Amino acid sequence: MEFLQLPPRETLLYASCYCEENIYKLIECHINPASLKHYTVIFLSNSSKCIPVFSQKIQRSPINPVVWDYHVILAYHPNHSLEDLLRQSKSHGGLEEQTSVSTTTKSYIYDLDTTIQTFPCPFPTYFAQTFSPPPSSSFEDPLDRMFLQMALSKDVYRRYFRLVSASDYLDHFKSGRDHMKDKDGTWKADPPLWDLIVGAKADQDSFEDYINFEGCESRTEVIEDEKEYLGVIVGEKRLWEVFGNGIPPDLELLDIMARTEREEKVSEEIPTTNNSTTVPEATMP
């Protein structure tokens, strides 16, 4: 089976600096409602609102990350629901051996701000190239990669992830875009051309709730009991356990493998037609 054939990435609805709305529109316009259980909206942030992210269009240098206050992407997991993945990963969370790339859970990431060419991107590739510096060979001095990793290992830069079912996101997301205005009302970035988004069940602005990561560092998993539609907050290791299966691999090794994979193998496993990606064994959304 194949992915739903999306229009070329460049023609999807997009507004710079409004990733939360870009993802909403991708789901609303292109995902079959019957397949929503196979999609998860992922908010990236932390209580410091400082998350380093690589392979982003806005990067000035490929070896230095963008530091976002938050970012939003979409995960596609054709074989399981989010609930299944969370339960399954908990039961296998104690794996001591690394899981090879070829046996990881089939999950893919839609990120409209990434420079990674494959769209959607297999989760292991996205994980390696987005949350880890480029391989040592990309640096003038290989030690610079180690120093960069040390700098980014500070708690203030630790990434956390809010996992929200796509159906809940469509129903409950609402944003007045106030966070994109200066005190005098000037836009920090031009607003999208589409109308303000108001989910069918949204009775108040919920955007600030989605990017509220206060206290996430003090617990390994934060479940929003009072507002279930806000999903669950997990750390980076847990994110891999959910969408990648097992413990995180050596990121530099995984990155090198992803970047040096032969073109023949890529074209065989992920044939592309009209700039849209087809992945074997995936369920048609």
Side-chain angles (χ1 to χ4, degrees), residues 215-275:
C216 63
E217 294 86 354
S218 62
R219 289 181 284 174
T220 56
E221 192 164 309
V222 182
I223 300 175
E224 302 286 0
D225 293 323
E226 296 183 2
K227 299 179 179 179
E228 293 185 2
Y229 60 84
L230 293 178
V232 56
I233 296 177
V234 301
E236 199 162 303
K237 179 177 181 291
R238 184 83 170 95
L239 183 78
W240 176 271
E241 291 172 351
V242 174
F243 296 109
N245 193 9
I247 64 174
D250 179 275
L251 288 181
E252 181 166 17
L253 176 60
L254 183 60
D255 192 15
I256 292 173
M257 292 172 65
R259 292 174 187 270
T260 58
E261 187 174 15
R262 293 180 305 167
E263 290 186 4
E264 307 91 82
K265 185 175 181 181
V266 172
S267 61
E268 179 182 343
E269 294 184 354
I270 310 178
T272 302
T273 304
N274 296 328
N275 294 324

Side-chain angles (χ1 to χ4, degrees), residues 1-6 39 76-79 104-110 117-124 265-273 275-285:
M1 301 297 288
E2 302 175 349
F3 277 116
L4 171 69
Q5 295 297 300
L6 295 177
Y39 291 85
Y76 173 47
H77 31 89
N79 301 322
T104 54
T105 299
K106 288 185 178 296
S107 297
Y108 307 88
I109 297 295
Y110 291 91
Q117 293 301 305
T118 308
F119 186 80
C121 182
F123 178 79
K265 185 175 181 181
V266 172
S267 61
E268 179 182 343
E269 294 184 354
I270 310 178
T272 302
T273 304
N275 294 324
S276 57
T277 304
T278 302
V279 180
E281 301 180 17
T283 304
M284 175 71 79

Side-chain angles (χ1 to χ4, degrees), residues 5-189:
Q5 295 297 300
L6 295 177
R9 173 165 40 176
E10 295 76 15
T11 66
L12 293 174
L13 289 174
Y14 177 82
S16 179
C17 299
Y18 292 85
C19 52
E20 68 280 2
E21 296 197 30
N22 296 333
I23 291 298
Y24 190 100
K25 285 298 181 181
L26 190 158
I27 300 170
E28 181 184 50
C29 298
H30 299 288
I31 305 303
N32 187 327
S35 298
L36 287 176
K37 68 178 181 179
H38 296 298
Y39 291 85
T40 297
V41 177
I42 304 177
F43 279 79
L44 293 68
S45 193
N46 59 24
S47 60
S48 303
K49 296 290 189 288
C50 293
I51 52 163
V53 182
F54 293 87
S55 300
Q56 296 286 287
K57 295 176 183 177
I58 201 173
Q59 273 180 258
R60 296 181 179 179
S61 165
I63 63 174
N64 293 318
V66 172
V67 179
W68 293 113
D69 51 350
Y70 71 93
H71 190 42
V72 186
I73 59 179
L74 180 68
Y76 173 47
H77 31 89
N79 301 322
H80 303 279
S81 67
L82 174 59
E83 188 177 71
D84 290 339
L85 289 175
L86 287 168
R87 183 171 56 250
Q88 175 181 295
S89 60
K90 268 192 174 181
S91 63
H92 295 86
L95 289 177
E96 296 182 358
E97 296 183 2
Q98 291 185 355
T99 305
S100 67
V101 176
S102 61
T103 60
T104 54
T105 299
K106 288 185 178 296
S107 297
Y108 307 88
I109 297 295
Y110 291 91
D111 181 350
L112 274 67
D113 294 288
T114 186
T115 57
I116 301 174
Q117 293 301 305
T118 308
F119 186 80
C121 182
F123 178 79
T125 301
Y126 185 85
F127 188 89
Q129 296 188 19
T130 305
F131 305 138
S132 179
S136 301
S137 58
S138 301
F139 293 80
E140 185 173 339
D141 183 342
L143 288 177
D144 288 343
R145 185 181 193 274
M146 181 184 69
F147 293 142
L148 177 59
Q149 285 182 306
M150 290 173 62
L152 296 179
S153 66
K154 297 178 180 178
D155 288 345
V156 68
Y157 295 126
R158 195 178 300 276
R159 290 174 289 256
Y160 289 85
F161 307 83
R162 182 184 293 278
L163 312 182
V164 181
S165 71
S167 57
D168 280 342
Y169 192 59
L170 283 185
D171 284 342
H172 295 280
F173 179 78
K174 179 180 179 180
S175 173
R177 300 174 182 162
D178 295 336
H179 64 293
M180 293 303 296
K181 293 180 181 179
D182 290 324
K183 292 182 179 180
D184 62 0
T186 303
W187 289 105
K188 298 176 182 178

